[in-house]
Amino acid sequence: MEVRSEKKMWMVLVMVTLSLVGKISSLSVTVNELECVYEYVLYEGDTVSGNFVVVDHDIFWSSDHPGIDFTVTSPAGNVVQTLKGVSGDKFDFKAPRSGMYKFCFHNPYSTPETVSFYIHVGHIPNEHDLAKDEHLDPVNVKIAELREALESVTAEQKYLKARDTRHRHTNESTQKRVIFYTLGEYLLLSIASGLQVIYIRQLFSKSVGYNRV
Amino acid sequence: MAQNLTSRGRAVCSVLVLVVLVLFLTTNLVPVTEAIWLTIPTSGTKCVSEEIQNHVVVLADYYVVVDEAPQQYRTPTISVKVTSPYGNNLHHVENVTHGQFAFTTTESGSYLACFWLDGEHQEGVGATLNLDWRSGIAARDWDSVAKKQKVEGVELELIKLEGAVQAIHDNLNYLKDREAEMRQVSESTNSKVAWLSIMSLGVCIVVSALQLWHLKTYFRKKKLI
């Protein structure tokens, strides 16, 4: 067991050194009923920000689906943030403690939905960190603030991109529906009128006098 | 559960110590590892996807998170498959506990990475996977840039910020192009709706005219009129 925890710590060290100013890209996951994503927050007081958009849904009448529920649970077990019945939103909170946070998407209906999400944990060194580490200049604080500001612009862009993807799906579905449904309508119209003609012919197929009996 | 919490607490402490050590070793700012944990179900696959444009570098590291629970005698092994939007297989391994893959996108679309547990895992408990997926600017190797341009510290941080601003600019252009494409689709749908509705009226009139003509000739032939 000691060997395993050593191996885990070694891997974490390798990850930390490999990825210095790491960011996560916006990933999409299919939510059947409940999907949870975990993200580690290193420092207490870090700002956790992100967004999610429900991108792909096979609902026929769009008013049917009420959206999905989103919950953030802190490592202590209490719910930090919750959003119910939305098809996409931004979220933002200050982490009350460090640890593993759980971000859950709950789909109340049985049709699977694809959710595109983005989570970012931002840390700005404060005076406490400056005092601890001699290598950190006050300019590093300003650079960290700049980096977080640029990061929020990037997060907004990812949100816009996900919403644009959802809109594009709707547009493409509308175009397909327009073409197929109108062509189907023409076909059904011709078939209905053909059936009408056949029926009328059948009505008159026997002689008129026979019907008068 | 209490065992998990104390072992987690120990892991958090050791991670913090390691981070402070790294802070002293390098002149960089706070290094933040941003990787997500996913739970892999006992049966079925867990897939994540991302819509990526052309000529983007994607880098990913993954490893199965080892639980301190005594029931698991061995680390569960997983299989990984990464596919491009046109179905090409980019990375496919079986029976591993960790690995990484990297590729440059040659087509724009949705790239899918799927993970599933191998058949021999019988315990009925899913596994937890740590996935560090980066694409675009986040996948850039700043160490080699620092060595090539011989910069370090604050200058390197500013170069990174400049890279981030350039990435924002490129993303904005990409969004603008996508919006233009979507606008074209919308406008074509608009004109199709108008054209097809008017044509439906035309089809109605033509079909009823054909009906009348056919019935008239039929009744004339049958000498009913």
Side-chain angles (χ1 to χ4, degrees), chain A residues 27-37 56 58 68 105 107 110-117, chain B residues 38 45-49 112 114:
Chain A
L27 290 174
S28 303
V29 76
T30 309
V31 180
N32 284 310
E33 202 190 303
L34 181 72
E35 286 294 333
C36 288
V37 171
D56 200 20
D58 293 327
I68 60 166
F105 301 100
N107 184 5
S110 54
T111 43
E113 307 262 300
T114 306
V115 178
S116 164
F117 63 91
Chain B
L38 299 165
T45 66
K46 177 61 81 85
C47 291
V48 288
S49 62
L112 188 70
C114 285

Side-chain angles (χ1 to χ4, degrees), chain B:
Chain B
M1 200 33 129
Q3 225 175 358
N4 267 347
L5 282 176
T6 49
S7 65
R8 283 265 164 86
R10 270 192 282 122
V12 167
C13 280
S14 39
V15 164
L16 278 176
V17 163
L18 286 170
V19 166
V20 171
L21 272 176
V22 169
L23 260 181
F24 279 118
L25 289 173
T26 65
T27 51
N28 284 303
L29 285 179
V30 180
V32 177
T33 304
E34 290 200 25
I36 56 166
W37 281 19
L38 299 165
T39 49
I40 303 185
T42 349
S43 64
T45 66
K46 177 61 81 85
C47 291
V48 288
S49 62
E50 186 182 349
E51 224 180 288
I52 316 179
Q53 46 199 117
N54 209 348
H55 303 307
V56 169
V57 177
V58 177
L59 210 64
D61 281 279
Y62 57 90
Y63 64 88
V64 178
V65 173
V66 177
D67 227 8
E68 298 292 333
Q71 297 106 335
Q72 283 182 299
Y73 294 109
R74 56 175 191 277
T75 322
T77 59
I78 54 161
S79 302
V80 184
K81 186 156 186 208
V82 182
T83 42
S84 80
Y86 294 149
N88 301 330
N89 195 355
L90 292 164
H91 175 80
H92 181 44
V93 290
E94 310 247 349
N95 281 342
V96 286
T97 53
H98 62 275
Q100 62 177 79
F101 53 88
F103 56 91
T104 310
T105 57
T106 48
E107 50 230 15
S108 89
S110 178
Y111 285 77
L112 188 70
C114 285
F115 307 90
W116 64 93
L117 282 175
D118 286 326
E120 38 170 275
H121 188 70
Q122 301 129 353
E123 268 131 49
V125 171
T128 312
L129 177 85
N130 179 312
L131 174 68
D132 186 24
W133 172 286
R134 308 147 183 288
S135 66
I137 177 92
R140 206 179 295 185
D141 185 8
W142 291 114
D143 280 341
S144 68
V145 169
K147 276 200 198 66
K148 203 160 58 154
Q149 298 186 6
K150 296 191 188 52
V151 289
E152 58 174 17
V154 171
E155 225 179 308
L156 179 63
E157 293 302 320
L158 289 176
I159 288 181
K160 285 187 197 171
L161 287 178
E162 193 186 17
V165 168
Q166 186 62 39
I168 287 175
H169 179 78
D170 293 339
N171 274 335
L172 265 181
N173 279 332
Y174 174 65
L175 282 175
K176 202 168 70 163
D177 292 338
R178 291 247 295 215
E179 190 271 335
E181 256 176 48
M182 200 163 59
R183 194 165 23 101
Q184 225 168 350
V185 169
S186 281
E187 286 175 354
S188 99
T189 306
N190 190 14
S191 69
K192 278 202 179 80
V193 162
W195 173 233
L196 287 172
S197 301
I198 292 175
M199 214 165 87
S200 114
L201 182 66
V203 163
C204 223
I205 292 174
V206 162
V207 158
S208 55
L210 272 174
Q211 262 187 323
L212 285 173
W213 171 82
H214 177 83
L215 284 173
K216 222 155 112 167
T217 43
Y218 179 71
F219 288 151
R220 285 228 176 94
K221 210 167 59 173
K222 292 275 175 173
K223 299 198 175 44
L224 287 168
I225 49 171

